Structures are given as C-alpha cells and as structure tokens.
Amino acid sequence: MTLGRDEALHDRSSAMFEALNEYDFSYLWSWMGAPIIQTPTDIMATQEVIWSSKPDVIIETGVARGGSVLFMASLLDLMGAGKVIGVDIDIRAHNRDTIETHPMSKRVTLIEGGSVDAETVARVRAEIPDGARVMVVLDSDHSRDHVLAECRAYGPLVTEGCYLVVADTIVAHLPEASKARNRSRRLEPGNDPAAAALAYMAENPDFEVDPVLNGKLILSSSPRGYLRRKAA
C-alpha cells in the first residue's frame, strides 16, 4: 500500500498525535456510554480485524475504564457469538460497575490479577473453550519487558489468522520530551511496546505485521502493532 510506504506522512502523523495529546485526544471518545480511551482509527482497525478473523474469544490485558472490552463485546454480540476476557491487576469498583451493569456485560468475563502471573494466565486459559479462535490485545503496562512477557504468555493462545494487537506502539515514534510518552509512566527510548513487538517477532516467526492494515494506520496509537498469526 502506497500510504504505508509514505514515511514522511507517518512522521507528520506522529507529530499530529503528539500535538493532540495536549487535548487528551484519546480520552474524548466513548463506546455505548463507556470511556474507550482509543483513537477513532484504532477503533475502526480493531473492528476490521474482528470482522475478518471472527474470533470466538478476545483477551484484553488492561481494562481501564471498560469501554474497550465493551466495544469488542458489542461486535461479538452483533456477530452472534463469543466473549471478551478482560484482565487487569486492579479493576476499580466504579469501572467494574460500568462493565457489569452494561447491556454487553453478558459477553464479558473480568479477571483481576497481574497479566503475566502464572495463576492469572491459567485462569484465562480455563475460560477458552476447546477449538475456539482467539485474539489478544495487550494494553496494560507498556514497558518493553512487561509487554514482551505478555507476548510470550498470550501469543501462543492466538489462533491462525487471528491477531495479537500490541497497543501504544506510538511511543516509539515520539520525541523523548513528548508528554504523549507519559501514559501510565514515562518510558525511555527502547523501553516501549514497539520494541517488545519486534523482539517477539524475532523469536517467534509465526507472527507478522499485517502490511495492509498497518499500512493505513495514520493517527493511530498502535502503528505496526497489529500482528497476525500466519497459517501453518
């Protein structure tokens, strides 16, 4: 895709993303009444991969305010089947209430615990039916080592043709002084989700960056973060 090869435009996109951070751009949006903390581009991209790959189970690490798990649950509901497993080390009471009282709660399972803790991963695995198609979204602690540990823990659960989405790779494309790097905490260069995604693909050739989808991710918080599991 020509757009994906336009490096100058991607640089301008990153600069615009940095400027928009002054207005908390990703915090301005909601899905069916719940704050989603995503950019419209990523909302559309996630919708595309869910529709095209049709997962039965979507695992998301990092529940935050709940809008993202409810968004994906609503897509599965429209498709007539499936559930979202939301994993977070601390699901606050008001966020849990938002999710559990929402019409889409019927397709959401919440698991509280450290995302890479063996007990948490075991609980997640127990929620996946035999033969289910599985997609994973990693959007919790964005440090390189933590994201890489999540890739290693949850990547093997992703089924052929489905996606491992590594969120917030944008931080690798922003200047060190940028406030947009200040999400949950400041990340020094190389200590970011993009570095984790590259490291994971280097050790696991079953995954590849989807060139078509990633090629059009302008004004995205997760450029080159949509990894697809190849067919065997």
Side-chain angles (χ1 to χ4, degrees), residues 201 204-208 228-231:
M201 285 189 291
N204 192 332
D206 290 342
F207 285 90
E208 63 182 353
R228 181 177 54 201
R229 184 163 196 141
K230 304 174 188 176

Side-chain angles (χ1 to χ4, degrees), residues 8-83:
L9 185 57
H10 279 280
D11 289 343
R12 289 164 59 191
S13 174
S14 296
M16 177 62 77
F17 195 96
E18 179 185 1
L20 288 169
N21 184 70
E22 295 291 332
Y23 302 93
D24 291 328
F25 182 67
S26 61
Y27 286 82
L28 300 180
W29 310 95
S30 64
W31 184 265
M32 296 178 71
I36 193 169
I37 317 180
Q38 298 284 348
T39 65
T41 302
D42 290 301
I43 293 169
M44 285 302 297
T46 301
Q47 172 273 143
E48 285 193 12
V49 302
I50 291 173
W51 178 255
S52 66
S53 61
K54 295 183 170 51
D56 302 299
V57 175
I58 302 172
I59 302 162
E60 180 172 49
T61 63
V63 171
R65 299 184 186 179
S68 186
V69 293
L70 292 170
F71 160 63
M72 294 186 290
S74 69
L75 295 179
L76 294 179
D77 197 57
L78 284 170
M79 293 161 63
K83 67 177 176 180

Side-chain angles (χ1 to χ4, degrees), residues 37 60-66 86-97 99-100 110-117 120 123 139-141 146 150:
I37 317 180
E60 180 172 49
T61 63
V63 171
R65 299 184 186 179
V87 181
D88 203 302
I89 195 168
D90 179 20
I91 303 175
R92 297 180 182 178
H94 62 284
N95 293 330
R96 182 181 288 275
D97 183 66
I99 296 167
E100 293 182 344
L110 296 177
I111 295 178
E112 189 169 75
S115 61
V116 296
D117 292 351
T120 302
R123 291 171 64 191
D139 196 10
S140 60
D141 178 336
H146 183 83
E150 287 188 324

Side-chain angles (χ1 to χ4, degrees), residues 137-160:
V137 180
L138 304 178
D139 196 10
S140 60
D141 178 336
H142 294 309
S143 60
R144 176 195 178 277
D145 289 351
H146 183 83
V147 176
L148 182 55
E150 287 188 324
C151 286
R152 291 167 175 165
Y154 295 97
L157 302 180
V158 178
T159 46
E160 291 180 8

